Amino acid sequence: PKPQNPKTPKPHSILSGLLLIMAIKKKETNKERKARMFEVIYEILGKFTKALLVQIDNISADQIHQTRKDLREVGSLMLMGKNTLIRKVIDSRIREPLETDRKFAEKKSTWFNVDYWEPLKEHLKGNVAIIFTNGDFSTIKGIYERHQREAPARAGQIAQCDVWIKSGSTGLDPKQTSFFQQLNITTKIVKSMIEIVSDTKAINKGDMVEPSHQVLLEKLHIKPFSYKLQAVTVIDNGKIFDAKVLDIKAEDILRR
């Protein structure tokens, strides 16, 4: 039988291997962890030419896990780390290796200029992650958007969208009409149940959620908000674009 060729490792294989080693290690100093992550990021920068910077505020650990899993399927990966460390690695990866560098001989033999990552440094601000890819940005956008999670309205937070309560039976008994009256929602009693007469906007986008909003929406089992990764910057071979370019479709260009 013909000998089978070994499978070519995917771009994320080295990162996965190093993270596995990290999980196995019982003790690791902060200095050792930083040095190891430095090498991981150093290698990533040489494997990709495109990336998305995404906000990760209010994103759950499960969302991160599921998104990373799907990104690996398309040969991409998401990096979360200290912005200062990533900037330092970019500086080191751009210049030619020095004899004082760790693994100098190995780096020298494989080094090539990746100065297209330099513009990324000034955009590393706040609570962000980097999704590295060599593929199509629309595929990446589709992955992180499908992992959004519903969230209830909490008193004191700013509404991220208009919140509507639809007409129809609420399943609540007449004793609870006061909740609707506080919010000027017109109701009637049908078969001993409160029924909302017409669709009503309970909260405007940008308004603060009141305690009465929270109580009523909880009673109606409504989770009006959602959280997902939000792209803020697109990096493509050293060129920086606003994330709005991800919303441009081919048909929009053809119409111009």
Side-chain angles (χ1 to χ4, degrees), residues 50-52 131 133 135-142 234-236 246:
K50 301 194 291 185
L52 283 178
I131 297 179
T133 186
D136 189 76
F137 284 126
S138 61
T139 300
I140 304 303
K141 183 184 178 186
V234 177
I235 302 101
D236 189 345
L246 299 175

Side-chain angles (χ1 to χ4, degrees), residues 3-183:
Q4 291 186 349
N5 292 324
K7 289 184 179 179
T8 303
K10 291 184 178 179
H12 67 277
S13 59
I14 294 174
L15 175 64
S16 301
L18 287 170
L19 292 178
L20 180 60
I21 292 171
M22 178 183 73
I24 293 172
K25 285 185 177 181
K26 291 183 178 179
K27 291 182 180 179
E28 184 179 48
T29 66
N30 192 46
K31 185 177 180 180
E32 289 171 335
R33 183 183 63 80
K34 282 185 177 179
R36 177 177 44 73
M37 285 307 300
F38 188 102
E39 299 301 330
V40 170
I41 300 167
Y42 187 98
E43 193 145 0
I44 289 172
L45 293 173
K47 290 185 174 294
F48 297 94
T49 59
K50 301 194 291 185
L52 283 178
L53 233 62
V54 292
Q55 287 280 0
I56 53 175
D57 293 324
N58 301 307
I59 303 300
S60 69
D62 184 61
Q63 281 177 283
I64 296 293
H65 172 73
Q66 294 299 329
T67 301
R68 278 180 159 162
K69 180 181 175 184
D70 288 354
L71 286 171
R72 287 196 294 269
E73 294 296 320
V74 295
S76 304
L77 62 86
M78 180 160 63
L79 173 68
M80 299 169 65
K82 296 270 188 184
N83 293 339
T84 50
L85 175 62
I86 297 172
R87 289 192 198 99
K88 185 178 178 181
V89 180
I90 291 172
D91 286 334
S92 177
R93 184 64 182 79
I94 288 172
R95 66 164 171 76
E96 257 188 278
L98 304 173
E99 289 187 18
T100 53
D101 290 345
R102 282 166 50 97
K103 302 180 180 178
F104 165 72
E106 179 185 331
K107 288 179 179 177
K108 181 68 176 175
S109 64
T110 59
W111 183 86
F112 58 94
N113 199 337
V114 294
D115 56 0
Y116 44 82
W117 286 124
E118 188 165 16
L120 171 61
K121 293 190 298 179
E122 63 181 88
H123 293 272
L124 287 170
K125 298 173 185 176
N127 194 20
V128 295
I130 310 171
I131 297 179
F132 288 95
T133 186
N134 288 321
D136 189 76
F137 284 126
S138 61
T139 300
I140 304 303
K141 183 184 178 186
I143 288 174
Y144 67 70
E145 285 195 335
R146 71 169 170 256
H147 290 301
Q148 66 179 1
R149 67 179 176 90
E150 291 183 335
R154 299 296 184 197
Q157 76 178 130
I158 302 301
Q160 59 181 233
C161 62
D162 292 338
V163 178
W164 287 81
I165 297 179
K166 293 184 178 182
S167 61
S169 178
T170 63
L172 301 176
D173 63 74
K175 293 179 182 178
Q176 304 187 63
T177 53
S178 60
F179 292 110
F180 297 91
Q181 291 169 354
Q182 288 177 35
L183 299 173

Side-chain angles (χ1 to χ4, degrees), residues 196-213:
I196 298 172
V197 174
S198 59
D199 292 358
T200 307
K201 187 191 290 187
I203 312 173
N204 291 308
K205 179 180 179 180
D207 286 353
M208 183 178 289
V209 177
E210 301 293 340
S212 55
H213 293 139

